[in-house]
């Protein structure tokens, strides 16, 4: 069975501080990992996927197969980063398993 | 992304009523999904369909049914609504071979 764990329900940081949203997964094969973001009153949208190795809005995430982690990082938080972030996993076949989400609050 | 739309956006109903939530997409994707979102539980998959003739149960299908009327339309029905089905419901689409899913704006359902 596949599982995604996001241990923090809420993460509060000050503007300009580094951000790390944690994500750990359980999957026996080779997963594909994603971060989705939901800004206030907006629909869920893809932020980044590990296979693309991109930096989106200053965020990066590296898949660590040894630690089964896919933590989301940004060196300097901005106020507009405040949102709900979901880590998700698929083992293929388009079925996504989501974590429970982390609410990021960036304070001034 | 206005390519995936959901109706209604908000709905209040009473226990025992049958209701239908509708999802339409103009992305031309074969695959469609229904999720519910609950605080502290994240998104959970209710049903999914990989083409018009394909319907599959997800993680939490009890109390729900779906209909894939066309490639572009995927409806979710609550046969007899109960209060613990109060949630935010999302439809999503994807293309075979591309794992990214595209979400609708959500339907907020309150069952009294």
């Amino acid at each position: 069975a596949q599982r995604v764990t996001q241990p923090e329900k809420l993460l509060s940081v000050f503007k300009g501080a580094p951000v790390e949203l944690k994500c750990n997964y359980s999957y026996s094969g080779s997963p594909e990992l994603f971060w989705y973001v939901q800004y206030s009153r907006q629909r869920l949208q893809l932020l980044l996927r590990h296979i693309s190795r991109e930096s989106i809005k200053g965020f990066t995430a590296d898949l660590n197969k040894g630690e089964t982690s896919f933590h989301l990082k940004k060196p300097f938080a901005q106020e507009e980063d405040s949102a709900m972030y979901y880590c998700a996993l698929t083992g293929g076949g388009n079925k996504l398993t989501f974590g429970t989400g982390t609410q990021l609050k960036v304070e001034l | 992304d206005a390519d995936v739309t959901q109706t209604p956006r908000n709905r209040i109903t009473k226990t025992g009523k049958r209701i239908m939530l509708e999802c339409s997409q103009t992305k031309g994707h074969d695959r469609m999904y229904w999720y519910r979102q609950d605080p502290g539980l994240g998104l959970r998959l209710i049903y999914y369909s990989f083409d018009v003739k394909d319907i599959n149960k997800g993680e939490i299908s009890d109390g729900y049914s779906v209909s894939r009327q066309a490639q572009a339309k995927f409806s979710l029905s609550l046969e007899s609504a109960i209060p613990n089905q109060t949630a935010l419901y999302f439809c999503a689409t994807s293309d075979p071979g591309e794992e990214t899913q595209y979400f609708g704006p959500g339907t907020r359902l309150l069952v009294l």
Side-chain angles (χ1 to χ4, degrees), chain A residues 37-64:
Chain A
V37 61
Q38 188 176 28
Y39 299 104
S40 179
R41 300 184 181 280
Q42 295 187 27
R43 67 186 70 196
L44 203 66
Q45 58 187 284
L46 179 70
L47 179 62
L48 55 80
R49 53 194 293 189
H50 91 269
I51 200 169
S52 301
R53 294 185 159 272
E54 294 174 305
S55 173
I56 305 294
K57 299 185 179 183
F59 285 98
T60 59
D62 292 319
L63 179 61
N64 185 324

Side-chain angles (χ1 to χ4, degrees), chain A residues 52-90:
Chain A
S52 301
R53 294 185 159 272
E54 294 174 305
S55 173
I56 305 294
K57 299 185 179 183
F59 285 98
T60 59
D62 292 319
L63 179 61
N64 185 324
K65 292 186 177 181
E67 295 183 357
T68 59
S69 68
F70 189 56
H71 303 325
L72 184 68
K73 300 178 183 179
K74 185 170 183 177
F76 308 104
Q78 302 298 313
E79 191 179 359
E80 56 266 28
D81 296 329
S82 294
M84 178 68 83
Y85 291 81
Y86 290 97
C87 183
L89 170 156
T90 182

Side-chain angles (χ1 to χ4, degrees), chain B residues 28-77:
Chain B
H29 288 168
D30 286 328
R31 302 184 172 189
M32 299 186 73
Y33 311 80
W34 275 105
Y35 295 90
R36 65 177 279 176
Q37 183 184 41
D38 298 276
L41 296 178
L43 277 79
R44 293 179 291 168
L45 183 63
I46 306 172
Y47 271 96
Y48 61 101
S49 169
F50 282 177
D51 64 41
V52 175
K53 297 180 181 179
D54 177 73
I55 299 289
N56 303 281
K57 292 183 177 180
E59 184 184 349
I60 51 163
S61 58
D62 287 349
Y64 301 94
S65 62
V66 291
S67 174
R68 185 79 184 268
Q69 301 95 323
Q71 186 204 38
K73 296 183 182 298
F74 192 37
S75 301
L76 176 71
S77 293

Side-chain angles (χ1 to χ4, degrees), chain B:
Chain B
D1 189 335
D3 293 345
V4 185
T5 57
Q6 292 182 233
T7 56
R9 295 294 310 278
N10 294 279
R11 178 74 184 268
I12 300 174
T13 191
K14 294 182 179 180
T15 297
K17 294 291 187 181
R18 182 181 189 275
I19 66 162
M20 180 183 288
L21 309 182
E22 299 188 343
C23 176
S24 295
Q25 53 112 348
T26 58
K27 298 185 77 66
H29 288 168
D30 286 328
R31 302 184 172 189
M32 299 186 73
Y33 311 80
W34 275 105
Y35 295 90
R36 65 177 279 176
Q37 183 184 41
D38 298 276
L41 296 178
L43 277 79
R44 293 179 291 168
L45 183 63
I46 306 172
Y47 271 96
Y48 61 101
S49 169
F50 282 177
D51 64 41
V52 175
K53 297 180 181 179
D54 177 73
I55 299 289
N56 303 281
K57 292 183 177 180
E59 184 184 349
I60 51 163
S61 58
D62 287 349
Y64 301 94
S65 62
V66 291
S67 174
R68 185 79 184 268
Q69 301 95 323
Q71 186 204 38
K73 296 183 182 298
F74 192 37
S75 301
L76 176 71
S77 293
L78 284 67
E79 299 302 325
S80 179
I82 56 176
N84 78 359
Q85 290 178 312
T86 292
L88 184 56
Y89 290 84
F90 285 103
C91 173
T93 74
S94 70
D95 233 2
E98 186 198 354
E99 301 290 355
T100 302
Q101 294 188 12
Y102 298 86
F103 285 80
T107 293
R108 194 169 296 276
L109 175 66
L110 173 61
V111 182
L112 299 174

